[in-house]
Amino acid sequence: MLKNFFYFLQKTSFLKVLNGQFADQLSAETTFHVSNQTPLRKVFITQQVTDHLFPGLTAKQALVYASKFKNATEKVKIDHEATALKLLSEMAMPEAANRRVEHLSGGQQRRLILACELTSLKMPNLILADEAVSGLDTDSAEKVRHLSDFFTIV
């Protein structure tokens, strides 16, 4: 089971401050702490799926490539395909493995983007998603919200 924090925040500017994109607008004394003992490994997921997914790839291929990229410096052998299939299952979309990303529903695309971020052996401990359910139909939004089974959603 995945154990991390997934924050549904609706303010783009606040997310950009946390992500460091507006760092020049903060004072030198500004600090953010998740824990005094844990280094911050953050991920920022934008509203636009085109910022995260490559058309032409299947969902499984997108996850395999994300795993290879995010774990390129790891010394251990990683079964990238097994990682991809496990994440597809955990995101409640194993049937989408061989579907091209541009043919997935909006909710499936958002869950796939999150899964891509979770392929790293050094998983993020803070995931910032900009308007994670905005523009989704009720069923898709509920599936994205269902991720609270795996994450703490605030």
Side-chain angles (χ1 to χ4, degrees):
M1 180 182 284
L2 304 172
K3 301 230 185 238
N4 278 295
F5 296 99
F6 186 64
Y7 290 87
F8 281 122
L9 298 174
Q10 298 295 320
K11 298 296 177 190
T12 302
S13 297
F14 181 64
L15 289 172
K16 287 182 178 180
V17 166
L18 290 176
N19 192 40
Q21 292 177 348
F22 286 170
D24 59 333
Q25 298 179 19
L26 301 174
S27 71
E29 296 81 30
T30 303
T31 60
F32 296 101
H33 298 275
V34 173
S35 165
N36 61 355
Q37 299 174 0
T38 305
L40 182 62
R41 291 181 312 278
K42 64 184 182 296
V43 171
F44 180 54
I45 300 174
T46 65
Q47 294 178 44
Q48 299 298 321
V49 295
T50 55
D51 292 345
H52 300 278
L53 299 175
F54 295 101
L57 295 179
T58 65
K60 182 174 138 187
Q61 287 171 328
L63 288 167
V64 167
Y65 288 131
S67 179
K68 287 180 179 183
F69 176 75
K70 291 182 178 297
N71 297 302
T73 61
E74 295 295 333
K75 304 289 187 228
V76 298
K77 183 169 172 52
I78 299 168
D79 186 342
H80 301 289
E81 288 207 15
T83 298
L85 294 173
K86 179 179 180 229
L87 283 166
L88 284 167
S89 178
E90 288 180 352
M91 294 294 158
M93 49 187 284
E95 75 290 345
N98 296 313
R99 291 184 58 206
R100 290 176 38 175
V101 298
E102 64 269 25
H103 296 145
L104 299 175
S105 71
Q108 288 175 319
Q109 288 176 339
R110 301 234 176 132
R111 285 181 280 150
L112 180 61
I113 291 166
L114 176 58
C116 285
E117 296 300 338
L118 299 177
T119 60
S120 176
L121 289 182
K122 295 179 182 135
M123 290 180 46
N125 53 14
L126 178 62
I127 299 172
L128 305 163
D130 188 11
E131 304 206 18
V133 296
S134 176
L136 297 181
D137 61 63
T138 304
D139 185 52
S140 294
E142 191 54 40
K143 285 180 180 174
V144 172
R145 283 190 190 103
H146 177 67
L147 295 174
S148 64
D149 289 351
F150 303 103
F151 298 96
T152 301
I153 300 177
V154 178

